[in-house]
Amino acid sequence: MTEFTEEGVRAAARAWLEANWSPDYGLVEWRNRLIDSGWGVPHWPRAWYGQDMPSGLLPVVDEEFGRIGAVTVATAGIRRLAAATILEHGTDLQKEKFLRRSLTGEDTWCQLFSEPGSGSDVAGAVTRADFKGNRWVINGQKVWTSSAHHADWGLLLARTDWDAPKHKGLSYFILDMRQPGVEVRQIRQMNGHASFNQVFITDADVPPEHLVSEVGKGWAVTTTTLMHERRSADGLRNDSAGYDRPGRCYAEERDEIATVQEPYKWYPQRRGRVDLVLQRARETGKLGDPMVRQEIARLMILARTAEWTARRARVAAAAGRPPGPEGSLGKLVASHVARAAARVHTQLSGADAMLAGEDGPMGGVIAEILVSVPAISIAGGTDEIQRNIIAERVLGMPKEPNTDATRPFRDVPRNAVR
Amino acid sequence: MKFGFSGEQEEFRGVMRRFLAERSPTTEVRRLMETPDGWEREGWRALNTQLGLTAVHIPETHGGQGFGYSELGIVLEEAGRALLCAPLLATALAASAIMNAGTAEQQAALLPGIAAGDTVATLAVAEDGGGWEAADVRLTATGTGGGWRLDGAKGYVLDGTTADLIVVLARGPRGLSFFTVAGDAAGLSRRALRTIDTTRRLARLTFAGVAAAPLGAAGGAGVPFARTMLQAAAMLASEMVGGAERLREDALAYAKMRYQFGRPIASFQSLKHKAADMLVDVELAKAAAYYAAAALDEGDEELGMVCHLAKAAASEAYLQTAIHAVQIHGGIGFTWDNDTQLWFKRAKGSEVLFGDAHAHREAMMRHMAA
Ligand SMILES: Cc1cc2nc3c(=O)[nH]c(=O)nc-3n(C[C@H](O)[C@H](O)[C@H](O)COP(=O)(O)OP(=O)(O)OC[C@H]3O[C@@H](n4cnc5c(N)ncnc54)[C@H](O)[C@@H]3O)c2cc1C
């Protein structure tokens, strides 16, 4: 059994990888081996493919995977949030059915939370779930749903009680996306990509065993998913393998990235690409400009301290503190970093910052940064909502008086559907 | 007038706003931005001749309206507000360069076509790497007995593939000169550049022994060029504040209409503060753009400083307003179909066109500390 110190984990991970890793495995075959060995998700419980390892030690494991060049379990996209949520709230049956196939990458997920009338106020969902006969029948519309166009399963938030106050009338379901009642339409974004969708749900079917937690307890489950989403914005996890080497496993992973992750190839750009700043400063001959140097240094201070803060939160979590709202710092700070980086990239590129595609700097990457960073301040909870969370839950500042959370949901004022 | 517009000017603005709202709704902007040239000759000609847009600051003796930069600023502000897809800024600034540098005969020959809307013109200053200062010019002008030939390249040329007349800044044996070159001149090749903001087109022009005529005395463009760039800074700033104000107003209207948590999002204090900050940013930038335009008309002694000030202020205010506007819209603000992105991209491009805020602040300091 692995000793949970940095040295112990490093030695054990290295030994196991050296004995087992080969790029000649099929991708799913290799990931199944990882899952069975406990090295796919070592921070998960032993009962479910893990080793109960403190998550603060995960970076050490990641480093060992990186060192030897081994492919990891599938982490990209919503499947990571789905897995974490099901692990925490799911029934054994659900864990059995969904966890492994999410980790192998065979199943793809999407998060059906936001609606035209409820984004920040995600608990204001009006998609309805009615129990009829022996099934749940779902009707409504979701929006901004990343991955919906290729997802197998959706994490669905729906209203089951219209007379209860809004947070108490919600339930959480796993929706089969491949059924006639689910229609997905892609939405084009300002950066030209189409990674999110409108989802129209008409008399879609959910079997009772795909209810997560209990009827009316959907909000607590949603909070878990969102917490994981916001914490993952801390930028520690690097989920692109990008291996350029021969071997079946690499090739299949490249295929996976090319197809399933194609719509998300702009995601690194929305974080501002701090990693490109020094290179750009050299390329543009501006590295010696004192004003530019100041701005780059200022950006680096922000980016590095953000990273260290995230690491401190991880270490604290590893020391046994439950996942708390401190994750919201990472999300807000990531947005500051992205904006500051966009500013610096603009300064470095000068007039070239007007150019896109093959005419633009770095074959269009800089342009893509400039038109993608606004997303990071909106997706997964806006900056304003993050500030509210920090103020109210971390700092204990009183909530604004609200009128919507206490009365029956059907009486809460809202927009007519757009 | 630096601090207010006359009744006539306000009326003029009202006419512009009404026409442009009608002729350049965002459906039309979206249609034009997908066309190869980014604008259409017929439509632009009709609008231009009806309103006399490119005639505004050209003297009546040359077929223009004989107004000044304050009025041109109003036109551009309204064009920026409506995101008009047309070679307006390009043509107006080329006309300015001709007025600054050209002889009386040259002005008489070139300006009437521009004023009448027959000639689409542009100004080619920056080269690869994108500096907008005299020292950055490498394109060479060589005497060839009777005339001149140009060799080199220009980048970021507004409407460079479609202009009939190009005013080119070149370096000759006696210094800088503006030259005029026909759009279809032999030896000139023009390539459209892909831009973030597709409502405004840029091109790269390559000159291989292009025959050209100097505007004014060869080598004498130092002063006219400096003046042209001040006009460019002030006029672009006018266009930018028009766009910024439109974004600000649209975002405010959206905030008042959008409900979350059982109430309009405009009722959240953080959005109120954002909206108030946006007003401050835009109003200050407007004050600067108006002041600079008036300073151009009045030949103000601080002219150099204030034009740079206006562009620096507009660069930051427009971009910041655009960032806030997307944010206030939430998810929908990040979509292609929401119009906010159109102005966001215009703000992004305008931020660095003719130099970014850093460059203009530095230039401002040179004037102030001179
Ligand atoms: C790239 C991207 C991917 C996304 N992927 C998904 C996905 O996969 N699944 C999913 O369910 N959703 C997804 N979303 C949706 C995202 O979660 C919402 O867009 C976001 O929560 C904001 O909601 P909204 O768009 O309705 O904006 P609104 O909630 O209408 O917000 C509009 C403005 O009001 C402000 N505001 C709202 N409430 C308050 C308040 N109480 N105090 C102060 N200000 C407030 C907001 O900060 C914002 O500025 C995605 C969004 C983006 C941009």
Side-chain angles (χ1 to χ4, degrees):
Chain A
M1 210 173 79
T2 311
E3 189 197 337
F4 291 144
T5 60
E6 186 173 332
E7 301 73 40
V9 166
R10 190 180 299 285
R14 184 174 298 188
W16 189 85
L17 284 169
E18 278 173 357
N20 290 277
W21 162 244
S22 154
D24 299 330
Y25 284 113
L27 183 62
V28 170
E29 185 188 6
W30 163 248
R31 283 174 172 163
N32 270 318
R33 286 183 68 94
L34 271 180
I35 292 163
D36 293 330
S37 71
W39 284 109
V41 275
H43 57 307
W44 280 19
R46 277 198 192 83
W48 296 102
Y49 319 128
Q51 306 183 26
D52 282 316
M53 195 178 90
S55 60
L57 290 167
L58 275 180
V60 178
V61 180
D62 286 349
E63 275 166 32
E64 288 306 308
F65 272 78
R67 199 185 66 87
I68 197 168
V71 169
T72 63
V73 292
T75 54
I78 307 295
R79 58 163 73 89
R80 195 171 32 78
L81 310 182
T85 305
I86 293 170
L87 185 69
E88 190 165 332
H89 296 280
T91 61
D92 282 356
L93 215 73
Q94 288 164 354
K95 290 177 189 167
E96 197 65 59
K97 180 163 180 183
F98 296 113
L99 291 183
R100 180 181 285 270
R101 288 177 58 86
S102 299
L103 294 173
T104 59
E106 290 163 286
D107 280 351
T108 306
W109 291 78
C110 66
Q111 184 189 76
L112 298 159
F113 289 176
S114 303
E115 299 184 6
S118 57
S120 297
D121 183 18
V122 68
V126 298
T127 290
R128 55 187 309 140
D130 299 293
F131 200 65
K132 290 187 182 157
N134 56 354
R135 320 286 284 178
W136 290 99
V137 179
I138 318 292
N139 281 284
Q141 187 193 337
K142 295 288 174 176
V143 73
W144 323 129
T145 318
S146 307
S147 308
H149 52 300
H150 57 70
D152 304 294
W153 302 99
L155 301 169
L156 173 74
L157 181 66
R159 188 158 303 278
T160 42
D161 186 345
W162 299 73
D163 296 313
K166 70 174 182 179
H167 294 97
K168 302 219 164 78
L170 297 166
S171 303
Y172 196 107
F173 301 92
I174 296 169
L175 176 73
D176 183 351
M177 296 293 287
R178 319 257 188 210
Q179 58 171 311
V182 177
E183 190 204 331
V184 177
R185 277 186 225 154
Q186 283 185 258
I187 305 175
R188 191 174 180 200
Q189 293 141 356
M190 68 182 262
N191 60 9
H193 293 280
S195 56
F196 57 33
N197 305 270
Q198 282 176 290
V199 180
F200 299 90
I201 311 174
T202 316
D203 289 334
D205 175 280
V206 173
E209 65 271 20
H210 286 181
L211 168 72
V212 181
S213 183
E214 293 164 40
V215 173
K217 299 268 173 70
W219 183 244
V221 189
T222 305
T223 309
T224 300
T225 313
L226 290 176
M227 198 79 87
H228 281 280
E229 177 171 22
R230 286 163 192 175
R231 281 196 311 158
S232 69
D234 66 15
L236 276 180
R237 273 270 176 181
N238 163 19
D239 43 14
S240 121
Y243 298 114
D244 196 12
R245 306 177 220 174
R248 176 169 169 209
C249 207
Y250 291 137
E252 289 183 13
E253 195 194 27
R254 277 196 295 273
D255 282 351
E256 176 179 76
I257 289 169
T259 52
V260 176
Q261 288 178 240
E262 196 281 334
Y264 314 105
K265 56 177 188 247
W266 60 278
Y267 269 36
Q269 276 65 273
R270 73 179 186 173
R271 311 182 64 88
R273 295 305 301 268
V274 176
D275 58 315
L276 298 179
V277 164
L278 277 178
Q279 177 192 341
R280 286 290 298 153
R282 279 195 198 94
E283 275 170 18
T284 56
K286 292 186 179 164
L287 195 55
D289 179 336
M291 210 160 54
V292 168
R293 294 171 75 84
Q294 287 286 319
E295 293 310 313
I296 294 178
R298 194 195 296 276
L299 171 65
M300 293 303 172
I301 291 170
L302 192 59
R304 296 302 296 276
T305 50
E307 189 188 323
W308 294 334
T309 304
R311 280 190 184 258
R312 292 184 61 215
R314 256 173 193 271
V315 167
R321 287 221 317 262
E326 77 275 357
S328 288
L329 288 193
K331 171 79 174 66
L332 182 60
V333 172
S335 153
H336 293 335
V337 170
R339 282 189 181 162
R343 260 197 307 279
V344 172
H345 278 302
T346 303
Q347 189 182 358
L348 289 172
S349 291
D352 282 339
M354 293 187 281
L355 304 182
E358 60 277 21
D359 291 322
M362 303 196 72
V365 172
I366 300 299
E368 194 160 281
I369 294 170
L370 303 180
V371 295
S372 297
V373 290
I376 198 100
S377 315
I378 300 167
T382 65
D383 285 0
E384 289 73 28
I385 294 300
Q386 301 310 323
R387 289 193 181 94
N388 287 345
I389 291 173
I390 293 168
E392 291 170 8
R393 297 203 208 140
V394 182
L395 300 177
M397 297 168 86
K399 277 184 185 281
E400 283 188 40
N402 67 32
T403 54
D404 64 321
T406 43
R407 57 170 129 169
F409 181 73
R410 60 170 85 252
D411 299 336
V412 173
R414 51 184 182 265
N415 283 111
V417 170
R418 278 180 290 187
Chain B
M1 280 194 282
K2 285 169 176 159
F3 306 110
F5 291 105
S6 68
E8 289 83 16
Q9 286 173 322
E10 292 293 4
E11 210 170 294
F12 179 62
R13 175 190 299 285
V15 173
M16 288 298 146
R17 186 166 301 188
R18 271 199 308 283
F19 265 89
L20 291 173
E22 193 187 303
R23 300 292 184 78
S24 180
T26 51
T27 45
E28 181 67 359
V29 172
R30 285 173 182 274
R31 187 183 71 79
L32 288 171
M33 76 186 197
E34 303 289 349
T35 59
D37 296 337
W39 61 282
E40 277 171 357
R41 213 163 262 269
E42 308 289 274
W44 166 234
R45 222 194 117 83
L47 181 69
N48 189 16
T49 43
Q50 187 172 13
L51 297 178
L53 301 181
T54 54
V56 168
H57 72 314
I58 291 175
E60 283 164 317
T61 46
H62 298 314
Q65 300 193 12
F67 291 118
Y69 283 93
S70 286
E71 289 78 11
L72 182 61
I74 289 173
V75 170
L76 285 163
E77 187 181 350
E78 295 305 318
R81 180 183 179 86
L83 217 54
L84 179 70
C85 294
L88 170 60
L89 182 66
T91 303
L93 294 179
S96 292
I98 292 166
M99 291 190 271
N100 295 332
T103 63
E105 294 74 38
Q106 287 171 327
Q107 297 193 35
L110 297 170
L111 293 174
I114 292 177
D118 296 330
T119 309
V120 170
T122 191
L123 188 61
V125 172
E127 303 183 6
D128 295 341
W132 307 87
E133 309 219 3
D136 299 314
V137 176
R138 292 178 304 262
L139 187 135
T140 57
T142 319
T144 58
W148 293 84
R149 51 171 290 172
L150 304 182
D151 291 278
K154 292 287 176 185
Y156 325 98
V157 181
L158 294 172
D159 303 300
T161 57
T162 43
D164 308 306
L165 176 72
I166 303 160
V167 179
V168 186
L169 187 64
R171 186 174 297 286
R174 269 170 288 167
L176 290 180
S177 313
F178 277 124
F179 286 84
T180 52
V181 169
D184 56 4
L188 170 66
S189 36
R190 321 199 267 179
R191 186 168 71 80
L193 295 170
R194 278 192 60 186
T195 46
I196 288 180
D197 169 21
T198 50
T199 66
R200 164 136 63 212
R201 297 306 171 86
L202 300 175
R204 185 168 191 279
L205 311 183
T206 321
F207 298 77
V210 175
L215 280 173
V223 172
F225 167 64
R227 188 167 177 79
T228 305
M229 289 317 288
L230 293 181
Q231 292 156 345
M235 291 301 99
L236 178 56
S238 298
E239 192 207 84
M240 292 168 78
V241 298
E245 183 164 81
R246 170 70 181 266
L247 272 177
R248 186 190 72 68
E249 290 171 3
D250 286 359
L252 179 64
Y254 183 79
K256 288 179 177 169
M257 163 295 244
R258 169 75 169 166
Y259 272 67
Q260 289 289 277
F261 303 97
R263 57 197 252 199
I265 57 172
S267 71
F268 293 114
Q269 218 164 54
S270 74
L271 286 206
K272 286 181 189 156
H273 289 184
K274 209 188 283 296
D277 287 344
M278 289 165 82
L279 182 67
V280 170
D281 287 345
V282 174
E283 288 302 310
L284 264 52
K286 276 166 64 183
Y290 298 161
Y291 191 100
L296 281 168
D297 289 333
E298 292 168 19
D300 193 282
E301 58 182 25
E302 283 191 319
L303 182 61
M305 191 269 278
V306 302
C307 289
H308 290 299
L309 183 158
K311 174 61 172 55
S315 279
E316 299 210 326
Y318 199 0
L319 183 70
Q320 186 57 63
T321 304
I323 290 171
H324 283 329
V326 171
Q327 185 67 17
I328 287 175
H329 279 82
I332 208 163
F334 192 63
T335 62
W336 186 267
D337 287 343
N338 186 271
D339 291 333
T340 310
Q341 64 112 349
L342 303 175
W343 279 274
F344 180 94
K345 290 172 182 171
R346 177 62 76 84
K348 222 32 240 180
S350 308
E351 185 191 359
V352 296
L353 181 64
F354 306 149
D356 67 4
H358 297 94
H360 285 282
R361 283 193 292 258
E362 175 56 35
M364 226 182 111
M365 287 306 294
R366 287 204 296 267
H367 283 279
M368 282 165 58

Short mmCIF file of all heavy atoms in Angstrom, two decimals, chain B residues 219-248:
data_model
loop_
_atom_site.label_atom_id
_atom_site.label_comp_id
_atom_site.label_asym_id
_atom_site.label_seq_id
_atom_site.Cartn_x
_atom_site.Cartn_y
_atom_site.Cartn_z
N GLY B 219 9.71 65.64 -50.11
CA GLY B 219 10.48 65.72 -48.88
C GLY B 219 9.88 66.66 -47.85
O GLY B 219 10.38 66.79 -46.74
N GLY B 220 8.75 67.27 -48.19
CA GLY B 220 8.19 68.28 -47.28
C GLY B 220 7.04 67.80 -46.44
O GLY B 220 6.24 68.60 -45.95
N ALA B 221 6.89 66.48 -46.24
CA ALA B 221 5.69 65.97 -45.58
C ALA B 221 5.78 65.91 -44.06
O ALA B 221 4.83 65.51 -43.41
CB ALA B 221 5.31 64.60 -46.14
N GLY B 222 6.93 66.30 -43.51
CA GLY B 222 7.08 66.19 -42.07
C GLY B 222 5.92 66.83 -41.32
O GLY B 222 5.22 66.18 -40.54
N VAL B 223 5.68 68.10 -41.58
CA VAL B 223 4.63 68.82 -40.88
C VAL B 223 3.23 68.34 -41.29
O VAL B 223 2.39 68.03 -40.44
CB VAL B 223 4.80 70.35 -41.05
CG1 VAL B 223 3.59 71.10 -40.49
CG2 VAL B 223 6.09 70.80 -40.37
N PRO B 224 2.96 68.23 -42.60
CA PRO B 224 1.63 67.72 -42.99
C PRO B 224 1.35 66.32 -42.43
O PRO B 224 0.21 66.02 -42.04
CB PRO B 224 1.70 67.66 -44.51
CG PRO B 224 2.78 68.60 -44.90
CD PRO B 224 3.74 68.65 -43.76
N PHE B 225 2.37 65.48 -42.37
CA PHE B 225 2.14 64.13 -41.84
C PHE B 225 1.78 64.19 -40.36
O PHE B 225 0.81 63.57 -39.90
CB PHE B 225 3.37 63.25 -42.04
CG PHE B 225 3.32 61.97 -41.24
CD1 PHE B 225 2.33 61.03 -41.50
CD2 PHE B 225 4.22 61.72 -40.20
CE1 PHE B 225 2.25 59.85 -40.75
CE2 PHE B 225 4.14 60.56 -39.45
CZ PHE B 225 3.15 59.62 -39.72
N ALA B 226 2.53 64.98 -39.61
CA ALA B 226 2.25 65.10 -38.18
C ALA B 226 0.81 65.60 -37.97
O ALA B 226 0.07 65.08 -37.13
CB ALA B 226 3.25 66.06 -37.52
N ARG B 227 0.43 66.56 -38.78
CA ARG B 227 -0.91 67.12 -38.65
C ARG B 227 -1.97 66.06 -39.02
O ARG B 227 -2.98 65.91 -38.34
CB ARG B 227 -1.03 68.33 -39.59
CG ARG B 227 -2.30 69.07 -39.39
CD ARG B 227 -2.30 70.45 -40.07
NE ARG B 227 -3.61 71.04 -39.85
CZ ARG B 227 -3.99 71.61 -38.72
NH1 ARG B 227 -3.14 71.71 -37.72
NH2 ARG B 227 -5.21 72.09 -38.59
N THR B 228 -1.69 65.31 -40.06
CA THR B 228 -2.62 64.27 -40.48
C THR B 228 -2.85 63.24 -39.36
O THR B 228 -3.98 62.82 -39.11
CB THR B 228 -2.09 63.55 -41.74
OG1 THR B 228 -1.83 64.53 -42.75
CG2 THR B 228 -3.10 62.54 -42.26
N MET B 229 -1.77 62.88 -38.70
CA MET B 229 -1.93 61.87 -37.65
C MET B 229 -2.69 62.41 -36.44
O MET B 229 -3.39 61.67 -35.75
CB MET B 229 -0.56 61.30 -37.22
CG MET B 229 0.09 60.40 -38.28
SD MET B 229 -1.04 59.22 -39.09
CE MET B 229 -1.34 58.04 -37.78
N LEU B 230 -2.56 63.71 -36.18
CA LEU B 230 -3.37 64.30 -35.10
C LEU B 230 -4.84 64.27 -35.49
O LEU B 230 -5.72 63.94 -34.67
CB LEU B 230 -2.93 65.75 -34.83
CG LEU B 230 -1.54 65.93 -34.23
CD1 LEU B 230 -1.25 67.41 -34.00
CD2 LEU B 230 -1.40 65.15 -32.93
N GLN B 231 -5.11 64.59 -36.74
CA GLN B 231 -6.50 64.54 -37.22
C GLN B 231 -7.02 63.10 -37.16
O GLN B 231 -8.16 62.85 -36.74
CB GLN B 231 -6.56 65.09 -38.65
CG GLN B 231 -6.29 66.58 -38.70
CD GLN B 231 -5.77 67.05 -40.07
OE1 GLN B 231 -5.36 66.25 -40.91
NE2 GLN B 231 -5.79 68.37 -40.27
N ALA B 232 -6.16 62.18 -37.55
CA ALA B 232 -6.56 60.77 -37.52
C ALA B 232 -6.90 60.33 -36.10
O ALA B 232 -7.92 59.67 -35.85
CB ALA B 232 -5.45 59.89 -38.10
N ALA B 233 -6.05 60.73 -35.16
CA ALA B 233 -6.28 60.34 -33.76
C ALA B 233 -7.60 60.92 -33.26
O ALA B 233 -8.42 60.22 -32.65
CB ALA B 233 -5.12 60.81 -32.89
N ALA B 234 -7.81 62.19 -33.53
CA ALA B 234 -9.03 62.85 -33.02
C ALA B 234 -10.28 62.28 -33.69
O ALA B 234 -11.30 62.05 -33.03
CB ALA B 234 -8.94 64.35 -33.25
N MET B 235 -10.19 62.03 -34.99
CA MET B 235 -11.38 61.55 -35.71
C MET B 235 -11.70 60.10 -35.35
O MET B 235 -12.86 59.72 -35.20
CB MET B 235 -11.20 61.72 -37.22
CG MET B 235 -11.20 63.18 -37.66
SD MET B 235 -12.75 64.07 -37.24
CE MET B 235 -12.28 64.94 -35.75
N LEU B 236 -10.66 59.28 -35.20
CA LEU B 236 -10.92 57.91 -34.76
C LEU B 236 -11.51 57.93 -33.35
O LEU B 236 -12.44 57.17 -33.04
CB LEU B 236 -9.63 57.08 -34.80
CG LEU B 236 -9.76 55.64 -34.31
CD1 LEU B 236 -10.84 54.87 -35.07
CD2 LEU B 236 -8.42 54.90 -34.44
N ALA B 237 -11.00 58.81 -32.51
CA ALA B 237 -11.55 58.92 -31.15
C ALA B 237 -13.04 59.26 -31.21
O ALA B 237 -13.85 58.72 -30.45
CB ALA B 237 -10.79 59.97 -30.35
N SER B 238 -13.42 60.13 -32.14
CA SER B 238 -14.85 60.47 -32.28
C SER B 238 -15.66 59.23 -32.65
O SER B 238 -16.71 58.97 -32.07
CB SER B 238 -15.05 61.52 -33.37
OG SER B 238 -14.37 62.71 -33.03
N GLU B 239 -15.15 58.51 -33.61
CA GLU B 239 -15.85 57.29 -34.03
C GLU B 239 -15.99 56.33 -32.84
O GLU B 239 -17.03 55.71 -32.63
CB GLU B 239 -15.07 56.64 -35.17
CG GLU B 239 -15.84 55.55 -35.86
CD GLU B 239 -14.94 54.50 -36.49
OE1 GLU B 239 -14.51 53.58 -35.77
OE2 GLU B 239 -14.67 54.61 -37.69
N MET B 240 -14.92 56.23 -32.07
CA MET B 240 -14.90 55.28 -30.96
C MET B 240 -15.90 55.66 -29.86
O MET B 240 -16.58 54.79 -29.30
CB MET B 240 -13.49 55.18 -30.39
CG MET B 240 -12.51 54.52 -31.36
SD MET B 240 -10.79 54.70 -30.85
CE MET B 240 -10.69 53.45 -29.57
N VAL B 241 -15.98 56.93 -29.53
CA VAL B 241 -16.90 57.28 -28.44
C VAL B 241 -18.35 57.07 -28.87
O VAL B 241 -19.21 56.76 -28.04
CB VAL B 241 -16.68 58.72 -27.91
CG1 VAL B 241 -15.28 58.84 -27.31
CG2 VAL B 241 -16.93 59.78 -28.95
N GLY B 242 -18.60 57.18 -30.18
CA GLY B 242 -19.95 56.88 -30.67
C GLY B 242 -20.30 55.41 -30.42
O GLY B 242 -21.39 55.09 -29.94
N GLY B 243 -19.35 54.54 -30.72
CA GLY B 243 -19.57 53.11 -30.49
C GLY B 243 -19.70 52.80 -29.01
O GLY B 243 -20.56 52.01 -28.59
N ALA B 244 -18.85 53.44 -28.22
CA ALA B 244 -18.87 53.17 -26.78
C ALA B 244 -20.21 53.57 -26.17
O ALA B 244 -20.79 52.86 -25.34
CB ALA B 244 -17.73 53.92 -26.10
N GLU B 245 -20.72 54.72 -26.61
CA GLU B 245 -21.98 55.17 -26.02
C GLU B 245 -23.12 54.22 -26.39
O GLU B 245 -23.99 53.90 -25.57
CB GLU B 245 -22.31 56.59 -26.47
CG GLU B 245 -23.58 57.09 -25.80
CD GLU B 245 -23.72 58.59 -25.91
OE1 GLU B 245 -24.18 59.08 -26.97
OE2 GLU B 245 -23.38 59.27 -24.93
N ARG B 246 -23.10 53.75 -27.62
CA ARG B 246 -24.14 52.81 -28.05
C ARG B 246 -24.09 51.53 -27.19
O ARG B 246 -25.13 51.03 -26.72
CB ARG B 246 -23.94 52.49 -29.52
CG ARG B 246 -24.77 51.36 -30.06
CD ARG B 246 -26.26 51.74 -30.13
NE ARG B 246 -27.01 50.59 -30.62
CZ ARG B 246 -27.32 50.39 -31.90
NH1 ARG B 246 -26.96 51.27 -32.81
NH2 ARG B 246 -27.98 49.33 -32.27
N LEU B 247 -22.90 51.01 -26.99
CA LEU B 247 -22.74 49.80 -26.17
C LEU B 247 -23.26 50.04 -24.76
O LEU B 247 -23.93 49.20 -24.16
CB LEU B 247 -21.27 49.44 -26.06
CG LEU B 247 -20.66 48.54 -27.12
CD1 LEU B 247 -19.18 48.37 -26.83
CD2 LEU B 247 -21.34 47.17 -27.12
N ARG B 248 -22.90 51.18 -24.24
CA ARG B 248 -23.30 51.53 -22.87
C ARG B 248 -24.82 51.58 -22.76
O ARG B 248 -25.40 51.01 -21.84
CB ARG B 248 -22.70 52.89 -22.51
CG ARG B 248 -22.91 53.30 -21.06
CD ARG B 248 -22.51 54.74 -20.81
NE ARG B 248 -23.42 55.71 -21.37
CZ ARG B 248 -24.68 55.91 -20.94
NH1 ARG B 248 -25.16 55.20 -19.95
NH2 ARG B 248 -25.46 56.81 -21.52
#
